[in-house]
Amino acid sequence: MEYTITSIAPIFLFPFTAFVLNAFFGRKLPREGDWLSVGAIFMSFVWACRIFSDFIFGKFSTDYYVHKVFNWIDLSFGEQIFKIDLGIYIDNMTAIMLLMVTGAATLIHLFSTWYMKGDEGGYGRFFIYLSLFTSAMLGLVLADNLLLLFIFWEIMGFCSYSLIGYYNKKERAGYASIKAFMTTRVGDVFLLLGILAIWSVVGNVNYVDIYSAISQGLFEGKVVLGISLATFAAFCVFMGTIGKSAQFPLQVWLPDAMMGPTPCSALIHAATMVAAGVYLSLRMYPLMQLGDITHFIAYIGAITAFGAATIALVQTDLKAVLAFSTISQLGYMVIGIGVGSYNAAFMHLITHAVFKACLFLSAGSVIHAVHTQEMPQMGGLRKKLPITFMCMMLCTLAIAGIPFFSGFVSKDRILGDALYWGLFSGQSKVHFLVPFLGFAGAFLTAFYMFRMMFLTFFGTPRDQHVYDHCHKETFSFNRNLPLIILATFTLGIFFSGSLTGQGIAKVFPKGGQEWFKILVEAPQVKKFESYTKEGFGFSDTRAEKSWEKAHYHHQSGYAGINPENEEGIHHAHVEGAIASIIIAFSGVFLAFLLYIRRTISPDKFVNPLRCWYEALRRKYYFDELYIDIFIKKVLLKFNEFLAFVDMGIYDRFAIDGWEKVNRVLFKASKWFDDVVVDSIAVDGTGTSINIFNLILRIVQSGKIQLYFFILLFVLAGYVWTLDIA
């Protein structure tokens, strides 16, 4: 299709228009306008499919892009150029993201019509926020520059605040929304600093201009705060990812995001909020490499992946397990970015969005049926919720990294690249810590996810009252269809040309369906040194590109250290695949022994490690560290100091003290005005003139006798002064 304003803009405008109409007229529409929100995002999905089809069927090369711009602000004067262009940027990664966001959001919207039914006073409001949230994510994905991305980034921050605090009568929901909003603002401040740093070098923040500037060496020699400007900018941009994608040490907000309705959790954890942070780092990957912070990124991801997995081990809340699993899986994506596993990191972003959306919606189906989120009160629910159980099991197999499922395909590739990066790439063996934490986290993931499944669906009911009041599940279009569709796409065959994802048991010849490896590669900045921006109009005037068409290569996707060592990469992937399979099944088997066969009691692990267990239950005391120490004892004390300076010093002396000085000055000026100016200068002048006038009137009487007398008097005085002798 032609890429014009009429073929691109609707993908964003459909949900945004639904937001506007529902915001103003939703209460007057049937069902408070939920059908408008669902229909709008479905139409965006149809438009996304049209764009995706152009790329998936090999019409364009791997590095082909559509870049349309229009001038937003032009404050140029003479030789001083200051212009801000906004536009859209569509490449293979954009096309895949658009399909994922619209597809997952459509199913979440549809599920919400069942889950939120009967919600008094907020049903229409929920869909208003849902439409705005989705349109903001679509705008972020389509944005061609960091400034426009930041605008939609902040809109999503507002939407997450509103949806997390949706149940505004619950105090915990209010605290959770504030916590999420303020924590992510930390990363946002750094991101804005990074945008300004890039602008100072490039003159704008368009992706293609940034790539071109990197290729031309414009960042070389630029220093800020004693470090390379490229390093500073890359770090600030990645801090935006740390905040938005809940990476260590700003991971504390995401578990509390489950205070919102479950469909909201599905949207935040899968297709929008957290995906935006990883997407940003993937877009700015050349800057991360230039700034030489990839090692830092890899370690942040490894710490996050392992740390969150350990906390998930002790959670009893169904949604809390999924929340910490999200943080852990995001850590794997960040590991992929750090070690150069660009293709696999993005693939895991997509596969995770699918199975995590299904997991949260399935959790919502369970919670809606039993009216509790505590797994110790559940058990045996597979008999009453067979469809939900089957869908949730397929997604659990995917996230656990079991072969034949999408999670194995994407996560295994990340771990394979991490193993090569840490052991076989020629750098220090100390970096083996990254793949070690990655594999350890994979074992814990398999264990805690099957612990969740066994506690929820297997065994006998632990709370008979809860079990008895759970109605047996019958097929419902808006309840079960989204789960079935999402669960179906957890199969690895949809992302790989083989059943296992490792080239074994190929289904299509020559990787014909290895479309992810074919389409997604790290940006090659040299290809952006010369390009032409095209106006965003009603006709497509772009010239046909002569770049090489996308082609299959069995090692494509790795962009880290020493990518030319294909033998070493292949060797690492084989070893990583074997280790991943053993680790995944080991985690499942251990969960089976503890929670099904009960040959091992969980207390045998808990009792000897009570302090460690308490640390995990308290989430490594990060909330206490941030709230009780950093906020209450540092920031609030600093706030009290500032208040003392403001009221005790500034107000008392500079404001109130100056009032006293003003009073003294007023009295002095009043005395000076009354005495010196009025009494002496003004009234005194008049009195002296009157006296002088009186004297003159006496002297100038007009009588000759007086004049003669005065003359004699003067002469007598003169004679008196003469020295007669």
Side-chain angles (χ1 to χ4, degrees):
M1 68 176 184
E2 289 192 341
Y3 288 89
T4 65
I5 190 170
T6 55
S7 63
I8 299 174
I11 201 170
F12 163 77
L13 292 178
F14 280 130
F16 184 77
T17 302
F19 154 71
V20 174
L21 293 177
N22 279 335
F24 286 98
F25 310 109
R27 292 183 180 273
K28 299 179 181 179
L29 296 174
R31 295 175 55 90
E32 297 190 53
D34 63 347
W35 54 272
L36 187 59
S37 294
V38 176
I41 190 60
F42 177 72
M43 290 304 298
S44 293
F45 173 70
V46 172
W47 251 252
C49 288
R50 296 177 65 197
I51 295 174
F52 181 73
S53 65
D54 276 351
F55 291 87
I56 190 65
F57 294 121
K59 181 176 180 180
F60 303 130
S61 60
T62 304
D63 46 13
Y64 181 76
Y65 61 90
V66 178
H67 189 198
K68 305 276 188 174
V69 299
F70 66 92
N71 185 250
W72 183 38
I73 297 175
D74 190 350
L75 301 179
S76 302
F77 180 77
E79 296 181 356
Q80 300 297 320
I81 305 299
F82 185 85
K83 296 173 62 177
I84 300 178
D85 292 334
L86 299 183
I88 60 96
Y89 182 84
I90 300 178
D91 61 0
N92 295 328
M93 196 161 75
T94 307
I96 298 170
M97 279 292 290
L98 290 175
L99 187 71
M100 181 275 288
V101 173
T102 56
T106 298
L107 298 174
I108 293 170
H109 276 67
L110 180 61
F111 183 86
S112 300
T113 62
W114 171 80
Y115 187 87
M116 299 300 293
K117 185 178 180 180
D119 186 78
E120 297 180 358
Y123 186 78
R125 176 165 57 92
F126 179 79
F127 281 94
I128 290 172
Y129 289 133
L130 220 58
S131 293
L132 181 60
F133 206 170
T134 309
S135 63
M137 183 62 186
L138 291 173
L140 182 146
V141 172
L142 286 169
D144 75 322
N145 65 82
L146 291 176
L147 179 61
L148 189 57
L149 176 144
F150 187 75
I151 293 172
F152 291 117
W153 183 281
E154 292 302 303
I155 294 175
M156 283 204 297
F158 164 74
C159 292
S160 66
Y161 167 81
S162 303
L163 286 169
I164 294 170
Y166 173 80
Y167 296 119
N168 48 34
K169 293 182 180 179
K170 295 181 180 180
E171 189 176 26
R172 287 185 61 198
Y175 287 148
S177 63
I178 294 173
K179 184 178 182 181
F181 189 80
M182 296 307 298
T183 305
T184 53
R185 292 289 79 70
V186 176
D188 295 355
V189 170
F190 279 97
L191 174 57
L192 187 57
L193 288 175
I195 292 173
L196 294 175
I198 294 171
W199 194 300
S200 68
V201 175
V202 183
N204 63 70
V205 285
N206 290 333
Y207 300 145
V208 290
D209 288 328
I210 296 172
Y211 300 156
S212 178
I214 293 173
S215 178
Q216 297 175 34
L218 298 184
F219 284 89
E220 295 180 5
K222 302 291 193 306
V223 178
V224 59
L225 300 177
I227 62 174
S228 165
L229 189 142
T231 302
F232 174 80
F235 173 78
C236 288
V237 170
F238 181 66
M239 280 297 296
T241 295
I242 288 178
K244 215 67 165 182
S245 293
Q247 296 296 286
F248 171 83
L250 299 180
Q251 78 285 356
V252 294
W253 71 269
L254 191 55
D256 294 277
M258 66 181 183
M259 290 303 300
T262 302
C264 153
S265 301
L267 198 62
I268 291 175
H269 288 248
T272 55
M273 189 85 165
V274 297
V278 176
Y279 177 79
L280 169 66
S281 288
L282 288 168
R283 280 290 182 214
M284 289 294 102
Y285 181 73
L287 182 65
M288 307 296 176
Q289 285 186 310
L290 182 67
D292 196 24
I293 67 166
T294 53
H295 287 75
F296 171 74
I297 293 174
Y299 276 97
I300 289 294
I303 293 170
T304 304
F306 178 76
T310 59
I311 299 175
L313 295 173
V314 301
Q315 300 301 310
T316 58
D317 187 304
L318 181 61
K319 288 176 66 176
V321 175
L322 298 179
F324 283 103
S325 77
T326 297
I327 299 175
S328 182
Q329 297 307 305
L330 290 167
Y332 283 104
M333 300 174 207
V334 173
I335 289 176
I337 296 171
V339 303
S341 188
Y342 188 92
N343 180 279
F346 183 57
M347 179 187 286
H348 199 54
L349 172 65
I350 303 301
T351 59
H352 174 264
V354 175
F355 58 67
K356 185 52 61 69
C358 186
L359 284 169
F360 264 106
L361 296 185
S362 299
S365 179
V366 173
I367 294 167
H368 197 279
V370 300
H371 304 289
T372 181
Q373 297 180 196
E374 288 296 318
M375 294 185 296
Q377 297 179 11
M378 301 178 190
L381 293 179
R382 73 182 188 279
K383 298 177 182 178
K384 288 202 170 186
L385 304 172
I387 301 175
T388 299
F389 163 70
M390 184 57 64
C391 294
M392 204 167 188
M393 177 57 78
L394 291 175
C395 294
T396 300
L397 291 169
I399 195 174
I402 302 300
F404 306 107
F405 290 90
S406 60
F408 173 77
V409 176
S410 55
K411 188 163 65 175
D412 174 71
R413 290 180 180 180
I414 292 175
L415 292 175
D417 286 335
L419 189 63
Y420 170 77
W421 181 85
L423 280 183
F424 307 115
S425 62
Q427 57 180 342
S428 173
K429 300 298 183 183
V430 174
H431 297 310
F432 174 70
L433 182 62
V434 170
F436 174 78
L437 291 177
F439 282 108
F443 171 79
L444 297 179
T445 300
F447 173 77
Y448 70 69
M449 287 303 298
F450 273 88
R451 167 183 175 267
M452 178 194 74
M453 292 298 296
F454 293 151
L455 288 175
T456 304
F457 293 103
F458 288 82
T460 58
R462 284 175 289 278
D463 189 321
Q464 195 64 41
H465 176 76
V466 170
Y467 183 82
D468 291 341
H469 283 76
C470 175
H471 297 289
K472 187 171 179 61
E473 182 180 34
T474 57
F475 181 81
S476 172
F477 174 77
N478 52 354
R479 176 187 186 179
N480 299 118
L481 184 62
L483 304 184
I484 294 172
I485 294 174
L486 289 169
T488 300
F489 282 95
T490 61
L491 297 176
I493 194 172
F494 291 106
F495 303 90
S496 170
S498 61
L499 293 176
T500 63
Q502 291 296 329
I504 303 173
K506 290 184 178 180
V507 179
F508 302 99
K510 295 185 178 180
Q513 291 301 311
E514 280 273 10
W515 60 274
F516 226 106
K517 275 192 174 183
I518 292 174
L519 291 183
V520 179
E521 293 180 357
Q524 304 296 318
V525 294
K526 289 186 177 181
K527 296 184 178 182
F528 292 90
E529 288 188 4
S530 60
Y531 64 92
T532 303
K533 297 179 183 178
E534 185 180 1
F536 204 160
F538 290 94
S539 61
D540 192 354
T541 59
R542 59 185 169 82
E544 288 294 331
K545 304 298 178 183
S546 59
W547 293 339
E548 181 183 3
K549 292 292 184 182
H551 61 282
Y552 174 77
H553 187 273
H554 64 283
Q555 298 291 6
S556 66
Y558 178 74
I561 299 173
N562 296 329
E564 66 280 354
N565 184 7
E566 294 188 9
E567 183 179 351
I569 295 173
H570 176 71
H571 179 68
H573 274 266
V574 172
E575 291 187 357
I578 296 172
S580 294
I581 295 171
I582 295 173
I583 285 172
F585 281 106
S586 298
V588 175
F589 183 65
L590 180 60
F592 175 78
L593 292 178
L594 265 67
Y595 297 101
I596 299 297
R597 293 293 298 272
R598 299 188 180 276
T599 54
I600 305 175
S601 173
D603 293 336
K604 290 185 177 181
F605 293 95
V606 174
N607 292 332
L609 303 171
R610 179 60 60 179
C611 293
W612 180 253
Y613 173 82
E614 186 64 18
L616 295 180
R617 194 181 67 83
R618 302 286 289 273
K619 308 167 191 174
Y620 291 112
Y621 302 99
F622 269 96
D623 286 339
E624 289 81 357
L625 173 64
Y626 288 158
I627 297 174
D628 296 338
I629 297 178
F630 183 68
I631 293 178
K632 292 182 178 179
K633 293 186 178 180
V634 178
L635 291 183
L636 289 182
K637 293 295 182 183
F638 182 64
N639 181 65
E640 292 174 1
F641 170 73
L642 293 179
F644 168 75
V645 172
D646 180 39
M647 294 181 286
I649 298 177
Y650 183 75
D651 285 353
R652 184 178 179 184
F653 294 102
I655 304 300
D656 298 339
W658 188 251
E659 181 264 343
K660 295 178 181 179
V661 173
N662 282 338
R663 287 184 178 275
V664 173
L665 292 176
F666 168 74
K667 292 179 179 179
S669 63
K670 187 175 184 302
W671 177 86
F672 184 82
D673 182 60
D674 293 342
V675 176
V676 179
V677 177
D678 290 347
S679 299
I680 299 177
V682 178
D683 297 340
T685 301
T687 302
S688 62
I689 291 175
N690 286 334
I691 294 173
F692 187 67
N693 179 57
L694 178 61
I695 295 173
L696 286 179
R697 280 191 291 133
I698 295 174
V699 174
Q700 296 291 339
S701 63
K703 296 179 180 181
I704 190 63
Q705 295 91 338
L706 180 60
Y707 297 159
F708 185 72
F709 174 76
I710 293 174
L711 179 60
L712 290 176
F713 183 78
V714 172
L715 288 174
Y718 176 72
V719 171
W720 178 262
T721 60
L722 294 176
D723 188 1
I724 306 292

